[in-house]
């Protein structure tokens, strides 16, 4: 089913089981007080004029790359969050209400950088819908937030103090560490690696016109499509992963590489990947923005087996991950590169499954996929029930029926890999429809 989204927020959802509203609000505000990133207020910078800022914000929407000096930041020590409540008559209204909640603009000039709505349904079901500013947090932060929120809430209702350690490192500390790395030459190995990658990119980069279902209509209209794999098929994929061996990420990135290889006619295929960039232990439990996005290049040999291509993809991803620390805007500045509107921002990512849920717990995190700042973002969502393809895309640049056909092609290629992992890349590519 296709959904429409707007706004720059990460959604995070919780299913509620007999919660105490006051304890819920206290837990949310305790997490906010623990992390400076959630207590920042953003204002216009004198570095850019009003028209310039609009242009740079458009750049951010297209690329997800922050522009230095675009905003001023001010810490608001006493920032607090109020939980809004909504009543629904039917569970059928939930999807639209969640979409509405996440599409409402968040006032970034005020802290905290979050909005919370508790949805109650006549059937007795309850959901907590949180929208967190994309300026303040990255995807890794969602896991940190969920763990702390649940831990603090459960300790509160038991009448004990949470055992979570104090947070000694905050997002401004990460920025300071990053600047020291630049001054000390700490990013030189990363810069050397990425300079080589971009120098050898040649025709591997995917441009808008390379995609057969691309269109060119001014504007942005983000849509989302899903394709659910059955539990039996998902289990068969897990068996294959153990045999290869491979991870779900490298397996499905291989599948997407084969599809793009066929659709674009490229022997060298490059598309984007998100890297958490949390190797420094001090930053692993910090809420803020550390993530970097980089391109991963793979040479496709049609005569090779899909299993061999999967190993090649794993090596390319591993090499890129070893050099994830250099921010892409800094690299582009050194390369003298600017955004080309003919480039396609095609991204692949995976959402890992939640751990088995304790049915006695009051707060159950519900995996959700946010609006991505990409032209075309493909996610593999892993759950206890199996795998789901999720495509979020700008329907002014890609026809929805083409995106749907692409997901169906990925499904067919994945199924062929399960049945015959020794198949050649060219054999699998024939399963792709345009």
């Amino acid at each position: 089913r296709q959904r429409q989204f707007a706004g720059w927020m990460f959604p995070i959802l919780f299913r509620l089981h007999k919660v105490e509203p006051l304890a819920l609000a206290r837990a949310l505000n305790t997490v906010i007080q623990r992390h400076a990133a959630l207590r920042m207020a953003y204002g216009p910078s004198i570095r850019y004029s009003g028209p310039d800022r609009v242009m740079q914000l458009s750049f951010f929407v297209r690329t997800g790359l922050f522009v230095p000096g675009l905003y001023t930041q001010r810490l608001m020590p006493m920032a607090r969050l109020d939980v809004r409540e909504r009543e629904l008559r039917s569970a059928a209204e939930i999807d639209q209400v969640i979409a509405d909640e996440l599409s409402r603009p968040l006032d970034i000039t005020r802290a905290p950088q979050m909005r919370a709505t508790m949805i109650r349904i006549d059937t007795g079901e309850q959901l907590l819908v949180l929208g967190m500013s994309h300026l303040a947090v990255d995807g890794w932060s969602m896991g940190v937030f969920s763990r702390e929120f649940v831990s603090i809430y459960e300790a509160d209702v038991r009448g004990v103090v949470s055992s979570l350690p104090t947070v000694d490192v905050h997002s401004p500390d990460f920025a300071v560490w990053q600047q020291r790395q630049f001054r000390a030459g700490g990013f030189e190995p990363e810069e050397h690696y990425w300079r080589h990658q971009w120098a050898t990119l040649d025709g591997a980069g995917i441009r808008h016109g390379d995609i057969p279902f691309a269109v060119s209509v001014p504007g942005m209209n983000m849509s989302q499509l899903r394709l659910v794999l059955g539990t039996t098929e998902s289990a068969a994929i897990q068996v294959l992963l153990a045999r290869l061996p491979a991870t779900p990420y490298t397996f499905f990135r291989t599948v997407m590489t084969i599809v793009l290889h066929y659709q674009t006619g490229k022997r060298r295929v490059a598309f984007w990947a998100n890297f958490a960039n949390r190797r420094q232990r001090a930053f692993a439990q910090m809420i803020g923005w550390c993530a970097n996005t980089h391109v991963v290049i793979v040479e496709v040999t049609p005569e090779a087996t899909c299993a061999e291509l999967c190993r090649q993809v794993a090596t390319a991803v591993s090499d890129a991950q070893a050099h994830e620390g250099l921010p892409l805007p800094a690299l582009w500045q050194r390369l003298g590169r600017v955004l080309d509107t003919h480039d396609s921002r095609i991204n692949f990512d995976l959402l890992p499954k939640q751990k088995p849920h304790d049915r006695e717990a009051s707060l159950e995190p519900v995996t959700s996929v946010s609006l991505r700042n990409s032209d075309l973002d493909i996610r593999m969502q892993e759950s206890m029930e199996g795998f789901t393809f999720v495509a979020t895309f700008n329907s002014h640049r890609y026809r929805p029926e083409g995106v749907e056909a692409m997901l169906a092609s990925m499904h067919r290629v994945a199924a062929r890999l399960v049945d015959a992992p020794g198949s050649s890349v060219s054999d699998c590519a024939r399963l792709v429809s345009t």
Side-chain angles (χ1 to χ4, degrees):
R1 183 171 52 175
Q2 186 175 338
R3 297 180 184 175
Q4 307 295 323
F5 288 85
W8 299 335
M9 289 196 296
F10 272 112
I12 181 166
L13 312 178
F14 291 88
R15 186 171 289 110
L16 310 180
H17 305 279
K18 300 179 181 179
V19 297
E20 298 182 16
L22 292 180
L24 195 76
R26 285 194 298 267
L28 285 171
N29 282 292
T30 299
V31 179
I32 290 169
Q33 288 301 311
R34 284 171 57 83
H35 296 277
L38 300 177
R39 291 181 281 118
M40 290 291 183
Y42 295 87
S45 169
I46 60 173
R47 192 176 194 178
Y48 294 98
S49 66
D52 282 343
R53 192 156 44 250
V54 170
M55 180 183 69
Q56 298 292 0
L57 284 172
S58 175
F59 177 85
F60 168 63
V61 171
R62 277 290 319 282
T63 66
L65 304 180
F66 293 128
V67 180
L70 184 59
Y71 292 104
T72 60
Q73 298 182 40
R74 185 162 51 102
L75 184 65
M76 308 294 289
M78 302 308 295
R80 289 190 58 81
L81 178 71
D82 294 322
V83 181
R84 182 169 173 247
E85 296 190 17
R86 292 191 63 171
E87 301 281 347
L88 300 182
R89 294 182 179 179
S90 167
E93 302 176 56
I94 290 179
D95 281 355
Q96 186 58 51
V97 169
I98 290 174
D100 291 344
E101 290 295 327
L102 296 175
S103 66
R104 286 193 297 121
L106 185 68
D107 184 0
I108 62 171
T109 65
R110 302 175 61 185
Q113 294 298 317
M114 185 191 307
R115 184 167 56 230
T117 303
M118 183 186 294
I119 299 175
R120 303 179 188 273
I121 308 169
D122 284 352
T123 58
E125 186 176 4
Q126 292 178 303
L127 283 176
L128 179 66
V129 181
L130 302 178
M132 306 180 76
S133 172
H134 202 345
L135 288 173
V137 299
D138 58 14
W140 182 280
S141 299
M142 299 297 94
V144 177
F145 178 89
S146 293
R147 289 191 296 272
E148 291 195 1
F149 174 47
V150 172
S151 176
I152 292 168
Y153 173 82
E154 291 180 345
D156 190 316
V157 296
R158 292 197 309 268
V160 299
V161 177
S162 171
S163 60
L164 289 173
T166 58
V167 180
D168 298 319
V169 178
H170 297 274
S171 52
D173 301 311
F174 176 82
V176 170
W177 170 83
Q178 198 172 57
Q179 289 300 319
R180 287 174 178 168
Q181 284 287 98
F182 278 117
R183 287 196 295 267
F187 287 129
E188 287 181 1
E190 284 86 350
E191 183 175 341
H192 176 76
Y193 173 83
W194 290 114
R195 276 186 178 275
H196 175 73
Q197 293 296 303
W198 281 85
T200 59
L201 187 65
D202 294 330
I206 298 173
R207 296 173 69 82
H208 184 246
D210 295 331
I211 304 297
F213 50 87
V215 292
S216 184
V217 179
M220 175 165 288
N221 182 32
M222 299 305 293
S223 300
Q224 197 170 89
L225 290 167
R226 293 172 179 259
L227 192 157
V228 181
L229 305 187
T231 54
T232 301
E233 189 172 3
S234 296
I237 291 173
Q238 293 287 11
V239 171
L240 176 64
L241 296 181
R243 285 171 50 202
L244 284 177
T247 65
Y249 180 88
T250 56
F251 174 81
F252 287 109
R253 190 174 182 92
T254 300
V255 169
M256 187 165 168
T257 297
I258 293 172
V259 171
L260 289 174
H261 159 68
Y262 180 86
Q263 290 184 333
T264 64
K266 293 179 180 291
R267 290 285 296 264
R268 302 180 73 241
V269 179
F271 53 100
W272 297 92
N274 297 314
F275 296 93
N277 194 26
R278 301 276 183 146
R279 293 193 174 199
Q280 295 287 327
R281 183 176 297 180
F283 303 126
Q285 299 305 317
M286 181 194 80
I287 289 179
W289 188 287
C290 300
N292 287 326
T293 302
H294 289 292
V295 70
V296 176
I297 307 171
V298 176
E299 182 85 32
V300 179
T301 304
E303 300 77 23
T305 67
C306 293
E308 291 170 340
L309 180 61
C310 190
R311 287 191 286 271
Q312 189 178 341
V313 167
T315 298
V317 171
S318 178
D319 289 347
Q321 192 171 35
H323 300 87
E324 65 183 348
L326 181 64
L328 188 62
L331 172 67
W332 277 12
Q333 185 179 32
R334 286 158 171 73
L335 295 177
R337 183 178 174 85
V338 296
L339 178 70
D340 187 335
T341 57
H342 296 291
D343 288 339
S344 277
R345 182 66 186 273
I346 298 180
N347 186 80
F348 175 77
D349 212 342
L350 180 138
L351 287 175
K353 62 184 175 184
Q354 302 283 346
K355 294 180 180 179
H357 175 60
D358 178 1
R359 295 297 177 185
E360 299 301 319
S362 300
L363 305 177
E364 178 187 357
V366 180
T367 303
S368 57
V369 181
S370 67
L371 165 69
R372 300 294 300 171
N373 297 316
S374 303
D375 288 332
L376 176 60
D377 182 272
I378 306 292
R379 290 282 185 108
M380 176 51 60
Q381 184 172 318
E382 192 178 2
S383 68
M384 300 304 296
E385 290 74 31
F387 293 109
T388 300
F389 287 114
V390 184
T392 308
F393 61 99
N394 181 1
S395 60
H396 285 185
R397 286 175 66 84
Y398 298 101
R399 291 193 299 271
E401 60 271 22
V403 177
E404 188 172 16
M406 182 179 182
L407 294 184
S409 296
M410 291 181 68
H411 186 190
R412 287 193 295 272
V413 172
R416 179 60 177 269
L417 275 169
V418 169
D419 292 337
S423 298
S424 69
V425 171
S426 59
D427 285 341
C428 288
R430 294 189 186 101
L431 300 172
V432 179
S433 64
T434 56

